[in-house]
Amino acid sequence: MRAIILAAGLGLRLQQPAGEQFPKCLLQFEGVTLLERHLQMLESAGVTEVVLALGFQPELVEAELRRIGWPHEVEVVLNPRFDLGSVLTVHRTAQALTRGGDVLLMDADVLYDERVFAPLVAGEAPANRLLIDRDFEAGDEPVKLCLRDGVPVELRKQLAVGLKYDTIGESVGFFRLNETTARRFAQIVEGYVDTGRANMPHEEALRDLLLERGNEFETADVTGAPWIEIDFPNDVKRAGEEVLPQLAPVLSRMKQAAI
């Protein structure tokens, strides 16, 4: 199993001062960056093959990788057109998507607890799995995941009028794809790029995948487990004040060895 972490974006909605912008995966909570938290969570689950998709200020992220001193090689893939949609970033990871085995596709801008991550990696491979949190704030920002009889029928911020579903929640932004599904996803993403839709969010391509193969996916309910996607300044505040106190402490192996 390998993890593909999407960390190419500008993070403009954080409203960082001009000249002081940096990738969101470098946001720190209790002195630990989101990137380091991702890596330690993956290592605790036995996932040591990691592909990091970068775009904006990749040198800062690569410097953080060196500082962390994670004991496994991280493959870095660059998207020089990070100003376009995240579909193009995923397209840059096509080789990692299609080289075989289960794939974890993960947004980098999420602070989360192991209770969120554990259901994603549980069980034997191969597996297709996604996460739903039924306790979410209504509005235009959350990416809604809708199920009917346990099968995904929608993955979008805006729901179509008349859509029929029996369960709705927010998508955490993490997906597990088996080898066959990952290859199909790469084909869908390539279709977006080839037809001039590289400026789209990758969730649109994931939506197409779910509508095509939804009955092949398991959905893990992580309602009640602490997590937050960080897009706006208030999200940073909530992450530090509300989510962080509920998380298990993160202490890297490198730091443990130094104690």
Side-chain angles (χ1 to χ4, degrees):
M1 186 185 303
R2 81 184 55 84
I4 299 175
I5 303 175
L6 304 179
L10 279 159
L12 288 175
R13 293 183 295 180
L14 278 184
Q15 300 175 7
Q16 297 169 328
E20 298 180 23
Q21 290 177 290
F22 57 87
K24 286 192 288 183
C25 67
L26 300 184
L27 284 168
Q28 292 189 12
F29 297 92
E30 290 187 343
V32 183
T33 61
L34 291 180
L35 177 60
E36 184 170 1
R37 290 176 181 274
H38 279 301
L39 294 177
Q40 295 308 320
M41 194 72 71
L42 288 165
E43 186 168 33
S44 69
V47 180
T48 58
E49 185 180 352
V50 174
V51 178
L52 191 58
L54 305 179
F56 177 61
Q57 295 186 335
E59 68 281 358
L60 296 183
V61 182
E62 291 174 326
E64 172 64 2
L65 279 174
R66 292 191 294 271
R67 187 201 66 80
I68 292 170
W70 204 51
H72 312 283
E73 183 178 357
V74 175
E75 178 183 346
V76 173
V77 177
L78 295 178
N79 174 17
R81 292 306 313 273
F82 55 84
D83 54 316
L84 296 178
S86 53
V87 155
L88 187 56
T89 298
V90 174
H91 184 53
R92 295 285 179 176
T93 71
Q95 186 178 22
L97 278 170
T98 58
R99 72 173 61 139
D102 280 17
V103 172
L104 302 178
L105 187 69
M106 307 175 67
D107 291 340
D109 58 352
V110 182
L111 178 67
Y112 57 99
D113 188 72
E114 60 185 359
R115 286 167 283 176
V116 171
F117 186 69
L120 191 70
V121 296
E124 297 295 326
N128 293 312
R129 193 166 296 141
L130 62 162
L131 307 177
I132 188 171
D133 184 349
R134 292 177 290 102
D135 183 16
F136 72 103
E137 295 181 4
D140 294 336
E141 188 57 32
V143 176
K144 288 88 172 174
L145 173 61
C146 300
L147 311 175
R148 185 166 66 240
D149 297 327
V151 177
V153 293
E154 188 57 284
L155 182 76
R156 265 187 178 163
K157 293 183 178 182
Q158 301 286 343
L159 302 183
V161 176
L163 178 69
K164 295 182 180 180
Y165 57 87
D166 52 50
T167 304
I168 183 172
E170 182 174 2
S171 170
V172 175
F174 298 162
F175 299 82
R176 178 173 173 176
L177 310 177
N178 66 28
E179 181 175 338
T180 301
T181 305
R183 290 182 182 275
R184 177 56 185 148
F185 180 53
Q187 292 173 347
I188 293 172
V189 168
E190 184 176 19
Y192 269 69
V193 174
D194 289 346
T195 56
R197 294 177 290 166
N199 62 330
M200 299 292 287
H202 70 283
E203 287 88 356
E204 282 296 299
L206 281 166
R207 176 182 182 269
D208 291 349
L209 180 71
L210 291 178
L211 294 182
E212 177 182 290
R213 302 190 173 208
N215 59 354
E216 300 177 12
F217 276 79
E218 305 167 0
T219 303
D221 192 331
V222 296
T223 303
W227 73 281
I228 187 170
E229 181 180 7
I230 301 173
D231 289 318
F232 300 99
N234 188 55
D235 294 334
V236 178
K237 181 179 180 182
R238 287 186 57 204
E241 295 180 356
E242 300 175 21
V243 177
L244 187 65
Q246 302 181 65
L247 306 187
V250 172
L251 187 62
S252 70
R253 288 186 178 182
M254 181 179 178
K255 291 177 181 177
Q256 288 174 341
I259 295 176

